[in-house]
Amino acid sequence: MFSMNHQKFLEMDELSLQKVPYFFMIDFLSENVEVYREDEIKESGLLIDFQSFSNSEQKHNLNKKIEWTAFPETLESFKEGFDKVQKNIRLGNSYLANYTRKTKVQTNLSLEEIFYHSIAKYKVFCKDFFVFFSPETFVKIIDGKILTYPMKGTIDASLENAAEVLKNDKKEKAEHYTVVDLLRNDLSMVADDVKVDQFQHIELIRTQQKDLYAMSSEISGKVKPEFKGKIGSMMKKLLPAGSILGAPKPKTLEIILEAEGYDRGYYTGVCGWFDGENLDSCVMIRFIEKEGDLLYFKSGGGITHMSKLEDEYQEMKNKIYVPIH
């Protein structure tokens, strides 16, 4: 398995060093790495809609009333994994762990319709497999500068003074600090002069069910000479993405694999578009996957020592939505 991935990361390096445009997808555990040159994307059946690249034409209007039902697990079932995570946090094995679940959903929308009609910064549809509509950038590389925008902390925007409440929420704040710190350290592995340019920026995310505020920051650095043009090597070094794993990474990964008890697959992996010069990539969250005739929505949130079971359960459920107006 390893040698195969190793080859794919090398292929990414070769293409980026030769300035050949390509799209890539890497699953959560970096076990599956897919690389498509521009002319191969169409044959792959992938539909991609990024701010910097799109291969999809706009589809006509959606002439139907959207039906959407989620079947979340019980609080008791959620609590099993949650307790495992918190026990490890109390033991000092982790100070932030991103705990995710898999929820059955039913809808009268096809995965393709969800792709065309959802509103998000990053969208990918993989035929008969999955669709996602992610608000979260992983890293951008622009003229030798690498940037990342960790997003941690959401709140229902209809609540009174929601943005202020989110900014001052002790638990959300601690979680945000941790992720910023983690990603600053991660970037330092591939970049010099790493600094936080913007801290706790609040942005609005619109969805059909409700509007949410999300908190993000901006971190940047200059790509180290030995990583110049080597996107595969950089990805290999930076993955899994800190914002959807936790810290410290190796131990937290062990904890998550035991607590979640399901395979994340491409969910929380990363994908990106390299245009021959610059890179734009995202974390594959807000993710719906097809298994047989059933659809599953994968979602979760960061757990710290301050996390309350009911709140985390609610946050996991809040994220099960499609951003279609």
Side-chain angles (χ1 to χ4, degrees):
M1 196 74 200
F2 174 75
S3 57
M4 185 63 202
N5 309 352
H6 188 60
Q7 279 308 111
K8 288 285 187 185
F9 284 120
L10 284 177
E11 185 188 336
M12 286 170 69
D13 277 354
E14 276 166 31
L15 291 173
S16 49
L17 284 166
Q18 292 163 14
K19 300 190 183 303
V20 176
Y22 66 91
F23 182 77
F24 66 87
M25 292 197 303
I26 305 170
D27 68 359
F28 173 54
L29 296 174
S30 296
E31 288 174 345
N32 293 292
V33 183
E34 302 285 342
V35 182
Y36 304 96
R37 294 176 193 230
E38 200 164 0
D39 54 346
E40 296 170 334
I41 294 173
K42 204 172 165 66
E43 293 153 42
S44 71
L46 284 174
L47 289 175
I48 301 161
D49 189 10
F50 275 26
Q51 289 169 312
S52 54
F53 173 79
S54 177
N55 72 335
S56 70
E57 285 90 58
Q58 203 35 59
K59 269 288 200 323
H60 46 73
N61 289 342
L62 191 61
N63 292 323
K64 57 174 157 187
K65 188 174 176 344
I66 297 170
E67 290 164 22
W68 176 263
T69 316
F71 302 91
E73 66 184 324
T74 61
L75 182 65
E76 288 71 38
S77 160
F78 180 85
K79 183 178 187 292
E80 269 178 54
F82 176 86
D83 285 348
K84 284 180 183 166
V85 170
Q86 283 231 306
K87 186 181 144 196
N88 274 287
I89 288 173
R90 282 196 300 274
L91 291 170
N93 296 329
S94 172
Y95 45 95
L96 170 68
N98 218 64
Y99 175 51
T100 73
R101 312 306 295 141
K102 178 176 155 182
T103 302
K104 194 176 117 184
V105 290
Q106 269 176 359
T107 179
N108 60 344
L109 298 167
S110 67
L111 293 185
E112 198 167 354
E113 284 173 327
I114 291 172
F115 170 82
Y116 277 112
H117 298 284
S118 56
I119 297 159
K121 245 184 223 178
Y122 301 95
K123 301 190 292 184
V124 173
F125 162 71
C126 188
K127 200 169 161 49
D128 289 328
F129 186 16
F130 66 74
V131 65
F132 72 79
F133 33 91
S134 175
E136 186 170 351
T137 301
F138 177 48
V139 295
K140 286 185 176 185
I141 297 171
I142 303 164
D143 301 332
K145 191 176 177 185
I146 185 167
L147 300 121
T148 188
Y149 309 86
M151 194 179 261
K152 259 285 169 274
T154 49
I155 194 171
D156 184 335
S158 65
L159 297 173
E160 207 177 328
N161 301 331
E164 280 308 302
V165 171
L166 176 60
K167 243 186 169 152
N168 297 310
D169 182 302
K170 246 166 96 174
K171 185 248 163 189
E172 297 286 14
K173 214 167 165 174
E175 206 181 303
H176 197 80
Y177 269 97
T178 302
V179 169
V180 167
D181 203 41
L182 170 67
L183 289 187
R184 195 171 50 189
N185 289 337
D186 275 3
L187 273 202
S188 299
M189 297 191 292
V190 299
D192 297 319
D193 304 329
V194 174
K195 56 185 190 302
V196 179
D197 301 315
Q198 204 178 27
F199 188 63
Q200 284 194 309
H201 166 71
I202 304 284
E203 58 185 292
L204 183 66
I205 297 173
R206 294 190 176 283
T207 82
Q208 195 215 352
Q209 284 83 352
K210 56 174 124 185
D211 291 344
L212 299 170
Y213 279 119
M215 187 156 58
S216 65
S217 290
E218 180 186 295
I219 308 168
S220 70
K222 288 192 198 105
V223 176
K224 287 178 192 267
E226 63 268 32
F227 285 104
K228 268 259 185 313
K230 293 186 168 180
I231 285 168
S233 297
M234 272 192 262
M235 290 296 144
K236 200 173 169 181
K237 201 86 175 147
L238 293 170
L239 291 176
S243 64
I244 46 72
L245 175 55
K249 273 184 170 180
K251 189 62 194 168
T252 303
L253 182 57
E254 276 175 44
I255 296 164
I256 280 174
L257 293 176
E258 193 208 337
E260 291 184 344
Y262 82 96
D263 186 5
R264 286 194 187 183
Y266 278 96
Y267 167 58
T268 67
V270 304
C271 67
W273 168 248
F274 173 70
D275 66 5
E277 290 292 335
N278 299 322
L279 170 77
D280 188 10
S281 66
C282 71
V283 183
M284 298 196 254
I285 56 172
R286 311 291 190 263
F287 192 99
I288 303 172
E289 191 168 320
K290 195 173 176 193
E291 273 184 46
D293 295 330
L294 299 175
L295 294 179
Y296 291 95
F297 196 110
K298 296 177 174 180
S299 67
I303 310 283
T304 67
H305 70 98
M306 286 190 268
S307 296
K308 294 189 180 73
L309 172 67
E310 285 77 9
D311 294 351
E312 295 301 336
Y313 180 60
Q314 194 52 50
E315 182 176 347
M316 181 272 291
K317 292 195 294 182
N318 277 350
K319 288 177 178 166
I320 304 169
Y321 67 82
V322 280
I324 297 177
H325 307 322

